[in-house]
Amino acid sequence: MPRETRAFDPDVLAAVREAGLAEARRLGATDASLRVEDVRSQVVSLRDAALETSIDDTELGMGLAVVHEGSVGYAATVEVTPDAAARLAREAVGAARAVAIARRRPVELAPEPSHGEVTWASPHATDPTTVPFTEKLALLEAWSQRLLDADGVDHVTATVRCVSEHKHYADLAGTVATQHRVRLQPQVTAIALEHDGAGFESMRTLAPPVGRGWEYLHGDGWDFDAELAELPELLKEKLAAPTVAAGRYDLVVDPTNLWLTIHESIGHATELDRALGYEAAYAGTSFATPDRLGTLQYGSEVMHVTGDRTVVHGLATVAIDDEGVAAQSFDLVRDGRLVGFQLDRSIAAAAGQDRSNGCAFADSALHVPIQRMANVSLQPAAGDGPTTTELINGVDHGLYILGDKSWSIDMQRYNFQFTGQRFFRIEGGRLAGQVRDVAYQATTTDFWGSMEAVGGRSTYLLAGAFNCGKGQPGQVAPVSHGTPSVLVRDVNVLNARTEGGR
Amino acid sequence: MSDGLPPAHAVVDAALAAAGGAGCVVLVEDRSEADVRFATNTVTTNGVRRARSVTVVALADGDRGTSAGVASRSGAVDPVDLVRAALADAEGSPPAEDAAPLLGGGADDRFGDEPATTDLDVLGGVLAALGGAFGRAERSGTVLAGFAEHAMVTTCLGTSTGLRRRHVQPTGMLQLVGRADGGARSAWVGRGTVDFTDVAVEELEAALAQRLAWAAARVELDAGRYETILPPGAVADLMTYLYGVASGADAEDGRSVFSASGGGTRVGERLATLPFELRSDPGAPSLECAPFLAVAASSSRASVFDNGLALERTAWIHDGVLQQLFYPRARAARSGCTPAAPIDNLLLELPGETASTADLVASTERGLLLECLWYIREVDPTTLLLTGLTRDGVYLVEDGEVRGAVNNFRFNESPVDLLSRATQAGATERTLGREFSEWMPRVSMPALRIPDFNMSSVSPAS
């Protein structure tokens, strides 16, 4: 039997938020919010069909944020009692006092009205963390064995990560939000050793992580059967494929690869806290600064990028964010021009904006909410739009790239380098077999400026990541990115082997 | 800070009792942390937190072997419930490939002590100094950003075979970035510490000022291969990555840079002509870390069955020769190797070297001096080719003098290859990696001279 999903006890929550917020108010906090979070995270990972890693971790915690005499303070604990909540209020105010000596400007939060009592759950049939461990193991064993039995596969790694996140939020304005989200990330990698015994090639499934239930692994949103069926043959072809000739290519980039390029070169670059220097010591800044809002030509005219925390099955989708702001959808790039930024309440206020657009998130009750990425998505072409095949037909000499693998981008989000899982040569508008060792390198605005066409709705996929890192101490956020296939002209392609001096 | 959690040793005993004599490992980690971020010449966010995580590894013996189940929960857990959850997973699992008899041994004298705690008072001196530093920065047209944190983590480990180990791990770090001219000039300094008594903000400020002054002159250089001096912090990030992939199982399976061509591992193979030693040592002065293994999950690097394994000074590379990879006991027995588990510090040394980074600069005819590396990611695991960026300081050195700041670059390099190509190393010193200090804060490294570092392209970022 699946274990019961641990639900919050409403009486405990009411007592806890009353105790914490009342104490914060009594101590002179001008803003205060309290979060109780129960996050269950599971990892089941098999190596060559044998269990290697098993994690089943539940973190129940409580955090309280205050603004006190112009300073912020945050305190957190793993105890969830009224006494602990009141103590957190004192500690958070104590923290605000302790840092005041080094505060040069007061912190303000952009106003947000009370949304009253809100209850929300991400749509799902089966909370994946309630599925018995044995069932997870059996599914991954079957997937692994199927690949190991295939010709040319030497090793297989199969992993599924499942999360069930309960959040209870309350603030002095009167918003009380109780939310439950689930998500999961399945990944299977087949490995083939080189025939000469020197090195190997791998190929991973392209199935994205999603805000769905366990039903995702049984065909609701992805065809795993079809994907596992084609993996061995694709890997065999890759192992025998020629290495890529470095040079300039037209690229047709599949959503399974492009989502990460969007994430790194648009998602992070349009976070206003970065642009203002709040991440200068860690995640970095941004070339897309507020003074260029409305004027910066980010890319070609077919480029329309939105941020949202509302899309169904989106990994960053919520009803109310971790500062009590209602989820929204907004433009970031329109007709190729920078028109918006992602905001939280303190950054919105610092930038003179009226309101946050709801991008505050903390990965645990133990961490303070900071501005984190919305689902940042590239919109497909209107109407029927081109198919991926039609985009490929428009290329004389190029590459079709699928699946993400390695990624790296600089601290201002200019210069990036990505690899992938599968690279097909395009010759005369048709696919002409795989090549290997491809890495594409570009400057953000050059790359998006060379985007000649976006695919239609039929090419669109909501992909994403479980592991977006930001902040100190480090926080990890899940986020989705929707994108069509695209055609980008004249991109610099490196040969990863040559780069490695081989 | 008072709280209502029962003592860790009582949780260990209660869980072991609940296991009723079955094989069982209980790990209690009490974390007390305080941190402050700052940016735009003012403090931004902060946090004080107290957390407890309890992990139970329950074993189930069957006809074909022993299986393990693992469950972790935070806070005031019910040990009976947690053991039941772990046991259910163990009974539903096939025999574990990493199964090995649980380790016995004695009990640490201080096993029953209260967990260590910290709070923002530890950072009081830093905060007071920062107040002044922000004012000075503002007047000089510099923008400071950074992070200070202190953590005390108390780990209590008990097994059904009688082992009782306890370790208190202090970790602290201060990082400071200075940006001037709208970010066109920037510099970073970072220090690792145990208790902040050895960290002076003014000293870091002075180091930043020197680098920002170096950047008064600017030189544009193209991509290419350059003689490059990697300072200890940059070497730390590269060696931390190398350390992270040193799994014996991955190497044996042909899946890593340490796989031998044609099968087996490269243990015994010379990786560098210079007699480098890459080692970990729980007793290394100022880098002290747990002298026993405590892991909440098995991986290709370590096994939950090996919890409590005594950790001792281990050379991963000795005299330039690959010496040891990570092997859980079970895998080591199958492979005929010595078991070795990850240790929480890392040192690279070229014995006998005494030169500072400044000495390396002084003996450079023409080359680059880096400050730190960033966004380091694996491009090709077979060679451990990594890509990444230079960040917050690349300087042109000519005739032993820094001439000015150079644009940033994207690099593509393998740390294994760099060890083989290094022509000179400085003295090993306590340092902090810019990117991976979060996972490996206790590092001592030398500066390295690389004759032909591969700067793959120019990054316009600053």
Side-chain angles (χ1 to χ4, degrees):
Chain A
M1 285 291 291
R3 281 183 222 158
E4 283 294 304
T5 300
R6 283 153 47 117
F8 291 129
D9 179 336
D11 294 337
V12 171
L13 290 179
V16 158
R17 65 174 183 262
E18 173 56 29
L21 294 179
E23 183 71 354
R25 196 194 300 267
R26 190 186 69 77
L27 293 169
T30 47
D31 270 289
S33 63
L34 176 141
R35 281 176 301 119
V36 179
E37 298 200 19
D38 182 319
V39 183
R40 188 171 184 187
S41 311
Q42 298 172 330
V43 180
V44 180
S45 186
L46 276 61
R47 183 190 184 96
D48 294 340
L51 179 65
E52 181 170 77
T53 301
S54 164
I55 296 171
D56 184 354
D57 180 39
T58 303
E59 185 189 89
L60 173 64
M62 175 168 69
L64 197 146
V66 298
V67 180
H68 182 268
E69 293 176 359
S71 293
V72 296
Y74 192 78
T77 179
V78 289
E79 284 183 278
V80 183
T81 64
D83 282 353
R87 195 176 69 232
L88 286 188
R90 292 190 289 276
E91 288 174 356
V93 169
R97 288 191 172 122
V99 302
I101 188 171
R103 179 179 61 71
R104 307 267 300 170
R105 294 185 298 282
V107 176
E108 287 176 48
L109 303 183
E112 180 73 11
S114 168
H115 298 286
E117 289 213 23
V118 177
T119 303
W120 180 84
S122 66
H124 63 275
T126 306
D127 177 340
T129 65
T130 65
V131 172
F133 170 72
T134 47
E135 192 177 327
K136 295 179 172 115
L137 196 58
L139 182 70
L140 294 182
E141 275 172 355
W143 283 3
S144 300
Q145 203 55 58
R146 175 174 174 179
L147 292 176
L148 284 170
D149 289 344
D151 188 33
V153 175
D154 293 302
H155 296 287
V156 173
T157 304
T159 303
V160 63
R161 296 178 178 82
C162 303
V163 177
S164 176
E165 174 194 287
H166 292 271
K167 263 184 208 260
H168 181 77
Y169 171 92
D171 62 27
L172 285 183
T175 295
V176 178
T178 305
Q179 305 181 77
H180 178 211
R181 307 196 299 172
V182 302
R183 54 184 175 268
L184 76 172
Q185 179 175 41
Q187 287 188 326
V188 185
T189 306
I191 292 161
L193 303 182
E194 301 278 6
H195 301 303
D196 63 1
F200 66 95
E201 269 297 351
S202 69
M203 193 166 289
R204 205 192 66 215
T205 48
L206 305 180
V210 287
R212 291 176 185 264
W214 187 251
E215 60 276 9
Y216 179 55
L217 301 189
H218 292 292
D220 192 354
W222 194 260
D223 189 344
F224 286 92
D225 195 51
E227 175 151 46
L228 293 169
E230 68 176 10
L231 214 53
E233 201 51 46
L234 284 166
L235 176 59
K236 211 161 138 185
E237 190 196 339
K238 186 179 183 184
L239 193 69
T243 195
V244 72
R248 300 196 77 87
Y249 289 81
D250 294 343
L251 303 184
V252 174
V253 189
D254 194 75
T256 53
N257 180 274
L258 193 68
W259 73 267
L260 185 50
T261 310
I262 292 168
H263 176 91
E264 301 294 358
S265 72
I266 308 171
H268 281 304
T270 56
E271 296 179 308
L272 190 55
D273 63 337
R274 289 184 61 121
L276 294 177
Y278 285 76
E279 285 282 341
Y282 186 66
T285 59
S286 177
F287 74 94
T289 43
D291 55 302
R292 304 175 82 182
L293 191 66
T295 59
L296 172 64
Q297 199 64 41
Y298 214 107
S300 67
E301 289 189 350
V302 299
M303 185 182 189
H304 177 201
V305 179
T306 56
D308 79 78
R309 301 203 66 185
T310 55
V311 66
V312 176
H313 303 307
L315 292 166
T317 298
V318 295
I320 300 288
D321 82 352
D322 287 348
E323 290 182 323
V325 178
Q328 296 159 47
S329 177
F330 42 90
D331 279 346
L332 293 169
V333 178
R334 180 111 216 171
D335 301 326
R337 196 160 294 182
L338 175 72
V339 295
F341 285 101
Q342 302 162 74
L343 310 167
D344 68 10
R345 289 177 66 182
S346 65
I347 297 300
Q353 305 267 335
D354 298 339
R355 189 189 177 200
S356 162
N357 51 25
C359 294
F361 175 77
D363 65 357
S364 144
L366 300 179
H367 287 147
V368 64
I370 56 176
Q371 188 275 306
R372 296 309 308 266
M373 207 182 290
N375 304 303
V376 170
S377 299
L378 177 66
Q379 296 305 309
D384 287 342
T387 63
T388 303
T389 305
E390 284 167 347
L391 292 173
I392 290 167
N393 292 157
V395 172
D396 186 47
H397 173 65
L399 294 170
Y400 174 42
I401 300 178
L402 299 91
D404 65 89
K405 194 171 182 188
S406 166
W407 73 99
S408 177
I409 187 164
D410 70 42
M411 41 287 170
Q412 272 188 300
R413 304 281 143 170
Y414 279 116
N415 173 303
F416 59 66
Q417 179 178 310
F418 295 96
T419 64
Q421 295 291 334
R422 306 170 196 170
F423 317 99
F424 293 90
R425 277 191 315 129
I426 305 172
E427 291 300 336
R430 297 189 187 285
L431 296 184
Q434 290 188 62
V435 289
R436 45 199 288 197
D437 312 316
V438 173
Y440 66 96
Q441 209 181 64
T443 295
T444 295
T445 44
D446 291 348
F447 181 84
W448 295 110
S450 308
M451 182 166 69
E452 184 177 290
V454 292
R457 178 58 62 177
S458 71
T459 72
Y460 191 82
L461 176 75
L462 191 67
F466 257 39
N467 61 337
C468 173
K470 189 178 175 185
Q472 288 183 303
Q475 296 195 42
V476 178
V479 59
S480 288
H481 300 286
T483 172
S485 294
V486 303
L487 166 57
V488 188
R489 297 288 185 191
D490 196 31
V491 179
N492 186 31
V493 168
L494 307 181
N495 181 300
R497 288 193 168 223
T498 317
E499 284 293 313
R502 286 198 297 171
Chain B
M1 181 162 69
S2 71
D3 59 42
L5 297 178
H9 67 89
V11 175
V12 170
D13 289 341
L16 291 173
C24 187
V25 178
V26 186
L27 191 58
V28 180
E29 191 183 80
D30 284 304
R31 306 182 70 88
S32 173
E33 299 170 329
D35 57 71
V36 182
R37 286 190 102 181
F38 38 99
T40 67
N41 286 335
T42 186
V43 287
T44 55
T45 55
N46 59 65
V48 289
R49 70 191 74 82
R50 179 99 175 243
R52 163 175 290 180
S53 170
V54 183
T55 297
V56 168
V57 182
L59 308 186
D61 289 320
D63 298 341
R64 297 179 297 127
T66 303
S67 56
V70 186
S72 306
R73 280 178 207 169
S74 68
V77 303
D78 175 355
V80 176
D81 194 38
L82 195 57
V83 168
R84 188 184 300 135
L87 206 51
D89 286 357
E91 285 163 356
S93 297
E97 298 212 328
D98 56 336
L102 294 183
L103 292 157
D108 286 340
D109 292 342
R110 307 189 63 185
F111 190 71
D113 284 11
E114 286 284 299
T117 60
T118 189
D119 55 34
L120 283 173
D121 289 349
V122 177
L123 304 179
V126 169
L127 282 164
L130 281 174
F134 293 151
R136 288 187 289 278
E138 216 149 85
R139 286 189 293 279
S140 71
T142 306
V143 181
L144 295 177
F147 180 58
E149 72 172 341
H150 191 244
M152 297 295 282
V153 179
T154 306
T155 300
C156 284
L157 173 73
T159 68
S160 52
T161 44
L163 190 74
R164 298 289 185 277
R165 300 299 310 263
R166 177 178 180 273
H167 177 72
V168 176
Q169 184 66 62
T171 304
M173 70 171 75
L174 175 63
Q175 299 186 51
L176 201 56
V177 166
R179 291 163 64 81
D181 305 336
R185 292 186 293 142
S186 64
W188 174 88
V189 285
R191 296 283 184 272
T193 180
V194 167
D195 56 12
F196 282 87
T197 54
D198 54 350
V199 173
V201 170
E202 291 76 6
E203 182 237 329
L204 271 64
E205 254 186 294
L208 283 182
Q210 183 197 36
R211 287 163 178 75
L212 291 173
W214 282 347
R218 185 158 172 97
V219 185
E220 301 293 330
L221 290 179
D222 293 334
R225 288 186 178 269
Y226 289 92
E227 177 171 324
T228 299
I229 298 165
L230 298 176
V235 174
D237 274 340
L238 293 167
M239 291 303 120
T240 299
Y241 207 112
L242 182 155
Y243 188 57
V245 302
S247 149
D250 286 352
E252 287 185 4
D253 286 355
R255 294 161 58 169
S256 97
V257 65
F258 299 119
S259 302
S261 168
T265 75
R266 295 174 70 184
V267 169
E269 185 181 322
R270 176 163 297 282
L271 300 180
T273 48
L274 295 177
F276 282 112
E277 178 163 280
L278 182 71
R279 68 172 183 273
S280 298
D281 180 359
S286 86
L287 302 177
E288 291 89 352
C289 61
F292 60 90
L293 181 68
V295 288
S298 288
S299 67
S300 68
R301 292 156 40 105
S303 164
V304 290
F305 286 91
D306 295 353
N307 268 307
L309 184 71
L311 303 177
E312 292 161 351
R313 177 177 167 136
T314 304
W316 313 103
I317 296 170
H318 178 73
D319 198 18
V321 175
L322 182 64
Q323 204 74 18
Q324 177 75 53
L325 299 169
F326 301 129
Y327 277 99
R329 287 178 300 153
R331 180 91 189 197
R334 286 199 295 278
S335 302
C337 299
T338 311
I343 297 169
D344 211 8
N345 63 23
L346 192 64
L347 301 91
L348 180 71
E349 186 176 17
L350 190 58
E353 295 298 335
T354 56
S356 66
T357 305
D359 294 336
L360 265 65
V361 169
S363 61
T364 300
E365 200 177 310
R366 186 171 192 272
L368 300 177
L369 169 67
L370 303 187
E371 187 52 54
C372 49
L373 303 176
W374 184 248
Y375 225 114
I376 303 165
R377 296 292 183 274
E378 190 173 282
V379 179
D380 182 358
T382 62
T383 55
L384 199 61
L385 179 70
L386 305 178
T387 192
L389 282 304
T390 62
R391 181 173 185 183
D392 293 328
V394 181
Y395 307 99
L396 175 66
V397 178
E398 284 177 329
D399 302 325
E401 302 270 344
V402 173
R403 297 294 180 201
V406 180
N407 45 275
N408 280 303
F409 295 99
R410 169 174 298 288
F411 69 89
N412 280 314
E413 277 289 359
S414 160
V416 180
D417 227 37
L418 289 175
L419 283 179
S420 79
R421 285 156 41 215
T423 53
Q424 189 187 0
T428 293
E429 59 182 68
R430 172 86 201 254
T431 187
L432 197 71
R434 176 76 182 269
E435 181 155 20
F436 299 130
S437 55
E438 207 172 334
W439 298 278
M440 185 53 80
R442 282 169 283 281
V443 284
S444 283
M445 298 282 151
L448 294 181
R449 184 190 304 279
I450 310 296
D452 52 355
F453 196 86
N454 179 17
M455 299 297 189
S456 174
S457 61
V458 169
S459 161
S462 59

